[in-house]
Amino acid sequence: MTSRQTPEPTSGRTAVPWRNKMVVAALAAAVLAGPGVAQAAPPAASAPREQVAAASITWNLERASNPTQDQRTAYDLITAAMNAAVARYNNLSDLGKSITVRYDPGVPTADGNINGTIRFGNRSYMTERTALHEIAHTIGVGTSSGWSSHTGQGVWSGAQATALVKQFDGSAAKLSTGGGHFWPYGLNYENEFSNTAGDRHVQIVAAMVRDGL
Ligand SMILES: [Zn+2]
């Protein structure tokens, strides 16, 4: 099924790994403050951890300057799908990624690249399920060197994500991998999607990142 297509893997990780996002945010804040403006004092040692800004996923849609009706309809569907998927990611993880989304009718289904690009083609793939799945590709599922180094035997070898799937499905559970995808909870097909599966998908991808995705 073509929904399982993955873009050609790229060798490098994103230039700004999510682990460094907080540092980047702090630097950006310092830059925004401008010359002559005192930098905010670091939080007191007693500050609650909740006040520390987590990294997050952001996205933008590239739009034609004078869109056709077909493009406007696609933009609406893509926006709803991406908003739902990104909200789920940001509620359940502290993963960070800056994603650029395009509508490209030449794409048979949809695809996601570790460079942060997601392309939607066919209308029936403009769903939260597809958006979650493609976001995972932008984070490294099927697209990173860390993915390759943890999937050589057709099973995810990282301890954190493996422990999580066993927590979900019992001690015999494992995360199978192949073709740049994983299952269960890979959301590879529309009929896999539910609120629970969507949540677990995000939690597993976040655990894979902790494992070195
Ligand atoms: Zn895929």
Side-chain angles (χ1 to χ4, degrees), residues 49-144:
R49 295 187 66 85
E50 290 77 14
Q51 291 184 6
V52 176
S56 62
I57 293 178
T58 59
W59 72 282
N60 72 286
L61 176 62
E62 291 189 346
R63 296 170 184 264
S65 53
N66 188 20
T68 63
Q69 183 57 53
D70 173 72
Q71 287 171 322
R72 285 196 296 268
T73 301
Y75 294 163
D76 288 346
L77 292 169
I78 291 167
T79 296
M82 285 298 299
N83 278 341
V86 168
R88 195 181 294 271
Y89 258 96
N90 288 339
N91 283 337
L92 295 172
S93 81
D94 65 354
L95 296 174
K97 191 80 182 181
S98 176
I99 296 173
T100 297
V101 179
R102 299 192 184 103
Y103 169 46
D104 182 346
V107 174
T109 59
D111 56 30
N113 192 296
I114 197 166
N115 70 9
T117 302
I118 292 175
R119 303 184 303 171
F120 289 90
N122 190 295
R123 286 271 193 284
S124 64
Y125 290 85
M126 295 172 185
T127 61
E128 184 190 356
R129 191 282 303 177
T130 303
L132 288 166
H133 178 97
E134 304 308 340
I135 289 170
H137 283 317
T138 72
I139 290 169
V141 169
T143 57
S144 70

Side-chain angles (χ1 to χ4, degrees), residues 3-6 133-134 137 180-181 188:
S3 69
R4 299 178 67 124
Q5 279 188 339
T6 311
H133 178 97
E134 304 308 340
H137 283 317
H181 295 100
N188 301 308

Side-chain angles (χ1 to χ4, degrees), residues 137-194:
H137 283 317
T138 72
I139 290 169
V141 169
T143 57
S144 70
S145 56
W147 171 266
S148 299
S149 64
H150 285 84
T151 58
Q153 306 301 313
V155 178
W156 180 257
S157 64
Q160 301 253 0
T162 300
L164 192 55
V165 78
K166 290 180 186 301
Q167 181 183 316
F168 292 150
D169 289 349
S171 60
K174 61 184 179 178
L175 287 168
S176 296
T177 62
H181 295 100
F182 70 87
W183 61 92
Y185 305 116
L187 304 183
N188 301 308
Y189 298 97
E190 200 67 35
N191 63 10
E192 293 176 56
F193 184 72
S194 66

